[in-house]
Amino acid sequence: MAVNETLSALQVMQDAPVIPVIVLHDVAHAVPMARALVAGGIRMLEVTLRTPQALACMEAIAREVPEAVVGAGTVRSAADAQAAQMAGARFAVSPGYTHAVGRACQELGLPLLPGVATGSEIMAAQEDGYTELKFFPALQAGGIPMLKAWGGPFGDVKFCPTGGVTPQNAADFLALPNVACVGGSWLVPADALAQGDWARIEALAREASAFKR
Ligand code: 3PG
């Protein structure tokens, strides 16, 4: 996939085995971090809207790292989705699902991975046309047994489990037929950012991009 073409949620999920969940407090970290992740083979980058600097970080990555595809995480409202897209986000990830967020992303043409943790939430997202979903918080909400159980009634859904996924358990999640990728914060540790240890982030990305699925 060329990174400048229109994306689908499935392409976001299929590009690499892991979507990094990123928390940035300093705009100066955004570009070298994104370059390190891309060098390690990860280009779909979920920058969470959890810090005042998040939108500026997305802008910097979108402007200066064309090999990366920056997305917004922690999208909880239509306004979040709109602000993220204005900042250069090309996909959105939400921790839960509301029709308002689902409709807003459809109107914006912004691919969304909606967060779900129950069958009712899956059905609500599917009613609005979403079949690629984030399972959040994956480990805490039932983990692998839950994904296996959902494979029956929701066999047409692909999941990105996020929350409690680690380098140690990622392979078990990725082995499931209804898991397209996983999400996790371990690729961008806070101390590596603080130390400017881009080589460590690149190494973590390289290890993650080699996971089998
Ligand atoms: C989050 O909410 O920060 C993400 O789900 C990542 O969770 P993790 O830190 O367990 O990877």
Side-chain angles (χ1 to χ4, degrees):
M1 185 205 70
V3 288
N4 58 355
E5 72 188 36
T6 304
L7 278 180
S8 68
L10 192 61
Q11 285 173 313
V12 172
M13 286 176 123
Q14 287 179 335
D15 203 59
V18 184
I19 297 176
V21 178
I22 301 163
V23 180
L24 291 169
H25 293 274
D26 186 340
V27 182
H29 293 160
V31 167
M33 175 217 67
R35 289 194 177 123
L37 289 167
V38 169
I42 305 278
R43 36 180 209 170
M44 299 290 159
L45 313 184
E46 179 189 334
V47 176
T48 57
L49 292 173
R50 292 185 203 176
T51 67
Q53 298 80 14
L55 290 170
C57 290
M58 285 177 214
E59 275 172 12
I61 295 168
R63 187 175 58 239
E64 294 184 43
V65 194
E67 312 90 321
V69 177
V70 69
T74 324
V75 170
R76 293 181 295 171
S77 66
D80 282 348
Q82 197 162 21
Q85 189 180 49
M86 291 283 288
R90 294 178 54 202
F91 66 91
V93 184
S94 58
Y97 187 70
T98 66
H99 294 297
V101 167
R103 275 195 296 269
C105 287
Q106 283 164 344
E107 281 165 19
L108 292 166
L110 190 63
L112 170 69
L113 292 180
V116 296
T118 68
S120 299
E121 290 159 7
I122 295 171
M123 288 164 64
Q126 281 197 293
E127 271 176 18
D128 291 348
Y130 291 99
T131 52
E132 285 88 33
L133 308 176
K134 162 174 159 164
F135 174 26
F136 176 78
L139 203 71
Q140 298 85 338
I144 285 169
M146 188 70 128
L147 285 159
K148 285 185 176 163
W150 280 344
F154 302 116
D156 52 345
V157 176
K158 293 286 182 214
F159 293 97
C160 171
T162 304
V165 181
T166 65
Q168 289 70 40
N169 65 16
D172 296 333
F173 280 99
L174 289 165
L176 300 175
N178 56 350
V179 170
C181 68
V182 298
S185 62
W186 81 87
L187 279 76
V188 184
D191 60 338
L193 286 175
Q195 293 155 12
D197 191 350
W198 315 123
R200 182 168 157 220
I201 291 173
E202 181 180 334
L204 287 164
R206 183 160 292 118
E207 176 195 47
S209 62
F211 287 147
K212 298 273 178 296
R213 42 178 176 169

